[in-house]
């Protein structure tokens, strides 16, 4: 494993190697087993893997959320070291990514994909995500880039970004990895205290229950049941529950025979905002 703080240094190093395919795994660090499954998949499919570790400021609409985001570079590097020489880590300072004095997003048009759920709740979030992902894709020119389905809306935005900007990369989507009790793995989970951690499995349990209710209840009734589940558990604050078309991400009230639906949820548990989704 080699660690680079500067993009040009990593690219210079790559020039000295014969590399047929590059896999890029963009992360914000605080690596967990879910990230490592992306790294492993990338290792199997490419002969060089770049893991970026960068807490991207432009995708945070709330400075306290940015400040609270776990930053654990030493620990992250220890987790990646066993993967050996095929791994190149890009762990830049903010000025390597955003040169000059302005730390701001580019402007992209993602239409309705951006105005629902996370995009609606977190102003500018996807402009920031698209900016950093675009910079990484253009900067390293990977053959494939790997993203987890936990951030499903992000994945849809990135597919659109790649199509719009005509970037020569294959986006590989990877399934959500869950803890034994069902909680979707996330860097944010480490911010939960012990009590909150024991309560957190309710999120996935409720998503599974919503699927089970499909045969007996309308989508409106399911929405209502999910809302009251969290009202009865005051540790949680439901931000949204949304059954949506899996491609357009627009909320639906019935599922057409040829339609794929997905259920999305965002809740606050204490100070920690968690998201999850399931094929519905
Ligand atoms: O999913 C994430 O961790 C981030 O949004 C990403 C894709 C690394 C961009 O900062």
């Amino acid at each position: 494993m080699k660690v680079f703080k500067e993009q040009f240094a990593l690219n210079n190093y790559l020039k000295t190697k014969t590399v047929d395919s590059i896999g890029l795994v963009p992360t914000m660090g605080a690596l967990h087993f879910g990230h490592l499954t992306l790294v492993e998949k990338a290792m199997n499919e490419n002969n060089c893997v770049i893991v970026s570790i960068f807490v991207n400021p432009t995708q945070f609409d709330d400075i306290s959320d940015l400040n609270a985001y776990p930053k654990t570079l030493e620990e992250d590097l220890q987790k990646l070291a066993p993967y050996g020489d095929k791994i190149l880590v890009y762990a830049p300072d903010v000025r390597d990514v955003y040169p000059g004095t302005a730390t701001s997003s580019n402007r992209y048009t993602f239409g309705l994909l951006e105005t629902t759920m996370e995009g609606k709740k977190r102003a500018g979030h996807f402009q920031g995500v698209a900016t950093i992902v675009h910079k990484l894709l253009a900067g390293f020119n990977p053959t494939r880039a790997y993203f987890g389905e936990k951030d499903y809306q992000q994945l849809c935005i990135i597919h659109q970004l790649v199509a719009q900007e005509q970037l020569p990369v294959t986006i590989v989507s990877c399934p959500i990895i869950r803890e034994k009790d069902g909680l979707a793995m996330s860097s944010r989970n480490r911010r939960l205290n012990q009590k909150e951690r024991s309560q957190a499995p309710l999120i996935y349990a409720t998503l599974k229950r919503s699927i089970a209710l499909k045969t007996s209840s309308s989508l409106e009734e399911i929405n209502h049941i999910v809302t009251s589940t969290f009202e009865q558990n005051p540790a949680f604050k439901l931000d949204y529950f949304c059954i949506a078309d899996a491609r357009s991400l627009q909320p639906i009230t019935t599922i057409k025979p040829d339609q794929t639906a997905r259920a999305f949820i965002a809740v606050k548990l204490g100070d920690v905002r968690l998201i999850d989704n399931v094929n519905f």
Side-chain angles (χ1 to χ4, degrees):
M1 181 185 74
K2 279 199 173 325
V3 184
F4 298 86
K5 279 178 92 68
E6 284 147 341
Q7 186 190 304
F8 88 90
L10 195 156
N11 277 330
N12 277 348
Y13 174 80
L14 275 178
K15 279 186 206 143
T16 67
K17 303 274 157 205
T18 319
V19 169
D20 308 327
S21 61
I22 299 175
L24 172 71
V25 183
T27 81
M28 297 209 296
L31 300 182
H32 51 68
F33 182 71
H35 290 117
L36 300 182
T37 64
L38 304 189
V39 172
E40 271 164 36
K41 190 164 171 56
M43 297 262 294
N44 289 336
E45 296 175 354
N46 304 277
N47 56 21
C48 168
V49 173
I50 300 175
V51 179
S52 64
I53 299 180
F54 178 61
V55 182
N56 173 38
T58 62
Q59 70 189 74
F60 288 82
D61 60 334
D62 175 357
I63 184 81
S64 56
D65 189 27
L66 171 61
N67 291 336
Y69 202 87
K71 293 160 194 92
T72 57
L73 184 59
E74 282 313 310
E75 238 179 81
D76 294 342
L77 295 179
Q78 277 170 23
K79 289 182 182 160
L80 293 172
Y83 293 99
D85 287 352
K86 261 173 86 171
I87 298 269
L88 306 180
V89 177
Y90 174 54
D93 290 330
V94 76
R95 283 297 156 239
D96 199 55
V97 179
Y98 296 96
T101 49
T103 308
S104 53
S105 298
N106 305 335
R107 287 278 117 221
Y108 301 94
T109 306
F110 297 122
L112 293 178
L113 269 189
E114 199 194 0
T115 54
T116 181
M117 298 189 289
E118 293 303 288
K120 190 167 164 187
K121 295 285 175 175
R122 303 177 66 191
H125 171 65
F126 287 122
Q127 296 293 323
V129 169
T131 300
I132 179 66
V133 172
H134 195 175
K135 281 174 185 277
L136 292 169
L137 294 176
F140 294 120
N141 211 6
T143 321
R144 302 178 186 84
Y146 296 79
F147 297 89
E149 285 183 353
K150 189 178 75 68
D151 297 294
Y152 192 91
Q153 190 174 7
Q154 165 172 287
L155 199 47
C156 296
I157 294 271
I158 290 167
H159 275 291
Q160 188 152 327
L161 170 78
V162 165
Q164 276 172 206
E165 303 295 328
Q166 300 183 0
L167 303 172
V169 61
T170 301
I171 299 300
V172 183
S173 52
C174 304
I176 299 176
I177 306 295
R178 300 184 179 281
E179 302 287 355
K180 282 203 185 72
D181 58 16
L183 178 65
M185 288 193 189
S186 163
S187 304
R188 291 174 189 269
N189 294 352
R190 64 168 78 206
R191 291 184 50 213
L192 299 170
N193 65 32
Q194 221 179 351
K195 177 141 188 255
E196 291 160 350
R197 177 62 191 82
S198 70
Q199 294 165 317
L202 181 67
I203 301 167
Y204 181 53
T206 307
L207 286 177
K208 280 201 302 192
R209 178 154 177 244
S210 74
I211 298 172
L213 286 165
K214 251 171 81 172
T215 45
S216 58
S217 313
S218 68
L219 300 193
E220 199 188 330
E221 283 160 349
I222 295 173
N223 266 300
H224 187 74
I225 292 166
V226 169
T227 306
S228 57
T229 302
F230 288 102
E231 275 167 5
Q232 284 155 29
N233 286 276
F236 293 88
K237 195 170 168 297
L238 180 65
D239 204 350
Y240 60 78
F241 170 73
C242 178
I243 301 167
D245 179 89
R247 286 165 73 93
S248 72
L249 303 189
Q250 299 312 296
I252 51 178
T253 47
T254 53
I255 305 174
K256 300 196 186 85
D258 59 345
Q259 194 169 35
T260 306
R262 230 173 152 90
F264 297 87
I265 195 165
V267 290
K268 244 185 140 183
L269 178 52
D271 280 342
V272 188
R273 190 169 178 282
L274 300 170
I275 60 172
D276 200 350
N277 66 86
V278 285
N279 193 10
F280 189 82

